[in-house]
Amino acid sequence: MHSSSDDLPDPRDSVRRERREDAVAGFLAQTPVIYQHDIDIAPKAAAWADQLPDSPRSLFLTGAIGVGKTHTAWQATSRWIDRRIASTGRQPSVETWRSTALFDALRPDSRDYDGRILTAQLQRADLLYIDDLAAARVSPAGWTQERLYEIFDERYINRRPVLITCDVLPGETEHLVGERVQSRLREMFRDGVCLLEGADRRLGGAA
């Protein structure tokens, strides 16, 4: 039986698949060991990860301490990368930060980072993931909140997604991020708050 060229596999599909696998594997290598194994993530987090690039949405994972917010976030980000490459053919840039490290890095006296360069990187990244927002402490001089405003305002007006884990709701973060940033967070996470429930997994020895 004669087969047309339409029936033959497109060699580009193999290249795309390898690119996706390499990108996800690279992200997995950067993922803390305790969060590398797969878990079933909440449907809302899965739907966020599967979003189309032309309709970017942000996700705010909240819940009590130990319910799996950080593990969910790492797994959702890995899935987001895979889906983004499948849709665009391009490897996205992702910035992942613990809030405490990020706030220290944004200080004007940081020895390891240039605040302006770092701010620009965080503004332009295809995805910004900040873990455990409520654990950070702002600087008395207000430098952190000013930098955060620059970052979030740029991402807000250019519709670049943000993923945040926090044990309080977006409306309870003003003391950390400032009034102007919180106003933008309310809009960015209007339909993107995912509440995780359950017992503290660490008490049972789970990751």
Side-chain angles (χ1 to χ4, degrees), residues 1-12:
M1 180 178 178
H2 176 72
S3 62
S4 69
S5 59
D6 292 338
D7 298 325
L8 299 176
D10 187 338
R12 292 174 297 182

Side-chain angles (χ1 to χ4, degrees), residues 12-26 81-82 85-86 88-92:
R12 292 174 297 182
D13 291 340
S14 176
V15 173
R16 294 190 191 101
R17 184 173 59 255
E18 290 180 5
R19 186 178 300 163
R20 288 166 59 190
E21 292 172 351
D22 289 346
V24 173
I81 292 171
D82 179 79
I85 296 176
T88 67
R90 182 181 67 85
Q91 181 170 341

Side-chain angles (χ1 to χ4, degrees), residues 7-189:
D7 298 325
L8 299 176
D10 187 338
R12 292 174 297 182
D13 291 340
S14 176
V15 173
R16 294 190 191 101
R17 184 173 59 255
E18 290 180 5
R19 186 178 300 163
R20 288 166 59 190
E21 292 172 351
D22 289 346
V24 173
F27 181 76
L28 181 63
Q30 300 173 30
T31 301
V33 173
I34 198 172
Y35 304 125
Q36 288 184 4
H37 67 271
D38 292 338
I39 59 171
D40 292 329
I41 62 176
K44 193 163 189 175
W48 171 83
D50 293 342
Q51 66 180 292
L52 297 175
D54 58 357
S55 57
R57 290 172 285 121
S58 295
L59 181 66
F60 193 99
L61 289 168
T62 188
I65 294 173
V67 296
K69 298 183 296 295
T70 299
H71 203 154
T72 297
W74 282 102
Q75 292 289 309
T77 300
S78 177
R79 180 165 170 164
W80 182 91
I81 292 171
D82 179 79
R83 302 301 192 269
R84 179 58 65 99
I85 296 176
S87 298
T88 67
R90 182 181 67 85
Q91 181 170 341
S93 57
V94 178
E95 289 280 347
T96 62
W97 287 83
R98 291 180 181 174
S99 64
T100 49
L102 175 61
F103 281 33
D104 284 344
L106 292 174
R107 290 175 57 88
D109 57 353
S110 173
R111 296 181 179 180
D112 299 319
Y113 296 94
D114 182 306
R116 287 293 176 185
I117 294 176
L118 177 58
T119 296
Q121 291 175 348
L122 300 177
Q123 289 173 329
R124 294 192 300 261
D126 293 310
L127 175 64
L128 172 60
Y129 162 33
I130 302 175
D131 185 51
D132 203 2
L133 181 62
R137 296 291 180 268
V138 297
S139 61
W143 277 95
T144 304
Q145 291 184 350
E146 290 182 18
R147 286 284 186 260
L148 288 175
Y149 173 74
E150 293 178 25
I151 293 165
F152 280 100
D153 185 60
E154 183 72 16
R155 299 192 68 82
Y156 171 75
I157 62 178
N158 286 292
R159 302 180 70 230
R160 296 188 179 114
V162 175
L163 170 59
I164 289 177
T165 69
C166 190
D167 54 13
V168 300
L169 294 171
E172 300 172 354
T173 60
E174 183 176 337
H175 66 290
L176 291 168
V177 300
E179 182 179 2
R180 293 184 299 173
V181 172
Q182 183 170 300
S183 174
R184 283 152 180 79
L185 292 185
R186 286 197 193 99
E187 177 66 24
M188 294 170 76
F189 298 114

